[in-house]
Amino acid sequence: PGQSFPQYFKRMQPKSGGVLPRAACDALLVCPIGKSFSAEFGKRFMPHLIQYCSAFFPGMFIEVLEKPVSLKDVRSRENDFGHKQFLIEDIFTILNTHKDVVSKRRAYCRLGVTLEDIYPGDEWNYVFGQARPLERVGVFSFARHSPLFYEGAHATEAFGRLEAQDMLRWLRTCRHTMVHETCHMLGILHCVYWQCLMNGSNGPGDSCGSAAFLCPVCLHKLLHA
């Protein structure tokens, strides 16, 4: 059925349990997840992601966690290419409990960013990202957006093998997934009205990265937030 603006407005009212950004609680905390983000690839992409977030959410303060959070306590399995694939539920637990994360009192929402493949449960093959709006936590992965992922290359291996045009395409898709999940943390659900950044995704050929902008309905919600 979708989510109209009046439905969003009602959902985000305090009496309905909704919370919007406010003074002293207006930050998006970007949390690098996993040691692979310390590699050259992560260091090169992160400034661009922060700049894009700042432009997309001009009313929010964008903060980056200084040190990547370890995945050592996160459950994992092996994906079809022999790489580790990490369980999102455990990453959400980290975002809700890790001392370095929860110490950032200004954070309205917390977004985990990882180069590793992720999955939400045994019945799922993978997801590009996922958010829990009520907890205001989300996570997204660079992994499956890589042009070389389905050739078996880990995201860190793809960095030195791609032409500039492919790198830009990869980055463009990742930043769209990033703001898509952030909008979920602002209470905005999937869009059914137009071609929109908030459309749902059913796989690599139907990624939300195909739309760069919010439709009028979803933009109205973001401006309200």
Side-chain angles (χ1 to χ4, degrees):
Q3 180 194 46
S4 66
F5 177 77
Q7 289 172 325
Y8 175 77
F9 182 85
K10 181 178 180 180
R11 174 182 178 174
M12 300 309 293
Q13 292 295 302
K15 64 182 179 182
S16 300
V19 179
L20 290 171
R22 58 197 183 279
C25 187
D26 61 350
L28 164 60
L29 179 64
V30 180
C31 306
I33 305 289
K35 62 182 180 181
S36 59
F37 219 93
S38 298
E40 180 65 23
F41 177 88
K43 294 177 181 177
R44 188 166 176 177
F45 267 29
M46 183 60 81
H48 183 91
L49 294 177
I50 299 311
Q51 185 178 14
Y52 190 80
C53 263
S54 297
F56 204 94
F57 304 106
M60 298 191 78
F61 174 72
I62 311 300
E63 186 175 6
V64 182
L65 199 66
E66 297 86 354
K67 183 180 178 182
V69 177
S70 174
L71 285 164
K72 66 181 179 66
D73 295 325
V74 176
R75 285 171 285 177
S76 66
R77 66 186 184 185
E78 192 174 280
N79 66 19
D80 293 338
F81 304 98
H83 301 138
K84 277 191 173 182
Q85 186 182 41
F86 292 89
L87 184 65
I88 291 178
E89 179 182 351
D90 290 351
I91 298 177
F92 284 150
T93 298
I94 289 174
L95 294 174
N96 279 320
T97 62
H98 193 283
K99 61 181 179 60
D100 293 343
V101 178
V102 299
S103 67
K104 304 295 184 180
R105 300 296 185 184
R106 188 174 177 178
Y108 168 81
C109 54
R110 304 173 297 280
L111 179 66
V113 183
T114 183
L115 298 177
E116 307 298 336
D117 198 16
I118 55 177
Y119 72 106
D122 291 338
E123 68 278 11
W124 289 75
N125 290 329
Y126 70 91
V127 289
F128 296 113
Q130 194 172 79
R132 288 182 176 174
L134 293 179
E135 298 174 27
R136 303 202 299 276
V137 294
V139 61
F140 90 92
S141 167
F142 281 82
R144 290 187 181 253
H145 288 314
S146 166
L148 299 181
F149 179 85
Y150 292 97
E151 296 179 18
H154 188 273
T156 53
E157 300 169 359
F159 179 72
R161 295 169 53 185
L162 294 173
E163 299 291 336
Q165 185 175 359
D166 291 325
M167 287 288 290
L168 288 172
R169 188 179 301 113
W170 186 9
L171 178 58
R172 186 180 303 118
T173 307
C174 288
R175 71 190 188 190
H176 295 166
T177 302
M178 176 182 64
V179 296
H180 175 101
E181 299 303 336
T182 303
C183 284
H184 278 322
M185 292 189 289
L186 289 165
I188 301 173
L189 303 184
H190 282 148
C191 180
V192 299
Y193 300 107
W194 312 86
Q195 183 178 8
C196 175
L197 180 71
M198 293 310 295
N199 293 148
S201 171
N202 293 315
D206 188 32
S207 168
C208 63
S210 62
F213 303 101
L214 295 173
C215 74
V217 175
C218 294
L219 180 60
H220 193 186
K221 299 172 192 175
L222 181 59
L223 292 174
H224 174 70

